[in-house]
Amino acid sequence: LAKTTQPISMDSYEGQEVNITCSHNNIATNDYITWYQQFPSQGPRFIIQGYKTKVTNEVASLFIPADRKSSTLSLPRVSLSDTAVYYCLVGPMNTGFQKLVFGTGTRLLVSP
Amino acid sequence: NAGVTQTPKFQVLKTGQSMTLQCAQDMNHNSMYWYRQDPGMGLRLIYYSASEGTTDKGEVPNGYNVSRLNKREFSLRLESAAPSQTSVYFCASSEAILTLRRTDTQYFGPGTRLTVL
């Protein structure tokens, strides 16, 4: 599985847009990029996944440049409830079962 | 539809005691996993079951055993608890069906907070 690097922590204020960038220089051709979110005292939950260009859902957007060596998770107009740890993972598609490797993630703190 | 459930939510053990953490999923998923998460750290895979009837070691299996009881249930057993096993334990499941359009997504339970004195 490709190794990922992301900032340890980020601070923001309510109403701002937050962008968390993840580096994955060794991403393989058949790898997808997936982000999980973990609130305090809860298990992680899937928030978004993409292969290239831009993906948007009701929670976030994911921007992936053409070389796919990095990706940016964008959270529009964050609120206090977006305070969480965000994990970037890279793993292959077309495999069915796979083992995930969670790094330490990015700890986002949103203040009033 | 409860998703992934875990029992108990909290547990305190003395060194040397044994216990079993229970996990069940109602999503008809093929694969199930056990992770541990220590303070300020990411999740580390203890054991997994890619499909009913199979189990395999993950990154940190020492001191643990697992049983895939049926497709729904996957238990984690600590035979002789040690203080180093103080952690939060998460169970997860995934569909694990081959697909051309995405990678497998894991769904996590609420966790069991275990303290070993």
Side-chain angles (χ1 to χ4, degrees):
Chain A
L1 296 174
K3 180 179 169 57
T4 61
T5 302
Q6 49 184 126
I8 293 174
S9 65
M10 295 182 67
D11 295 319
S12 184
Y13 293 98
E14 281 189 294
Q16 290 188 333
E17 179 184 71
V18 171
N19 295 308
I20 305 174
T21 297
C22 178
S23 297
H24 28 78
N25 291 320
N26 297 323
I27 191 168
T29 303
N30 66 335
D31 280 343
Y32 261 68
I33 299 152
T34 308
W35 287 79
Y36 282 77
Q37 175 190 54
Q38 185 178 23
F39 295 116
S41 302
Q42 295 186 25
R45 69 164 187 157
F46 169 89
I47 51 174
I48 199 165
Q49 183 179 86
Y51 183 77
K52 61 181 179 181
T53 63
K54 177 183 174 182
V55 179
T56 297
N57 62 21
E58 65 278 4
V59 176
S61 294
L62 179 59
F63 298 92
I64 304 168
D67 67 5
R68 302 197 332 117
K69 293 184 183 299
S70 67
S71 59
T72 299
L73 175 73
S74 181
L75 305 172
R77 298 179 299 282
V78 294
S79 64
L80 297 177
S81 62
D82 291 314
T83 291
V85 178
Y86 294 82
Y87 296 96
C88 166
L89 296 93
V90 172
M93 56 183 173
N94 306 341
T95 61
F97 160 80
Q98 65 168 263
K99 293 185 285 185
L100 299 180
V101 178
F102 286 84
T104 52
T106 297
R107 190 172 298 273
L108 173 65
L109 176 63
V110 180
S111 301
Chain B
N1 188 335
V4 179
T5 56
Q6 294 183 234
T7 55
K9 286 186 168 49
F10 301 94
Q11 184 70 49
V12 179
L13 293 178
K14 294 180 180 178
T15 298
Q17 288 185 316
S18 62
M19 79 159 295
T20 300
L21 281 63
Q22 306 288 352
C23 174
Q25 52 91 8
D26 61 3
M27 296 173 282
N28 199 37
H29 283 172
N30 291 309
S31 299
M32 298 185 74
Y33 315 78
W34 276 105
Y35 294 88
R36 62 176 288 174
Q37 185 172 37
D38 299 324
M41 305 285 287
L43 283 78
R44 292 185 292 170
L45 183 63
I46 306 171
Y47 270 93
Y48 63 95
S49 171
S51 61
E52 186 180 0
T54 69
T55 60
D56 280 292
K57 296 177 181 179
E59 180 186 355
V60 289
N62 290 344
Y64 306 94
N65 284 301
V66 291
S67 296
R68 183 76 184 265
L69 304 169
N70 48 54
K71 191 170 186 179
R72 289 188 63 248
E73 299 171 288
F74 188 39
S75 63
L76 178 72
R77 182 161 179 84
L78 287 71
E79 290 291 351
S80 179
S84 61
Q85 294 178 304
T86 293
S87 189
V88 181
Y89 291 85
F90 290 102
C91 176
S93 70
S94 69
E95 193 174 25
I97 292 178
L98 197 64
T99 173
L100 295 175
R101 291 194 171 275
R102 59 177 171 82
T103 58
D104 201 32
T105 297
Q106 293 189 16
Y107 295 82
F108 287 81
T112 294
R113 190 172 297 273
L114 175 67
T115 301
V116 183
L117 303 175

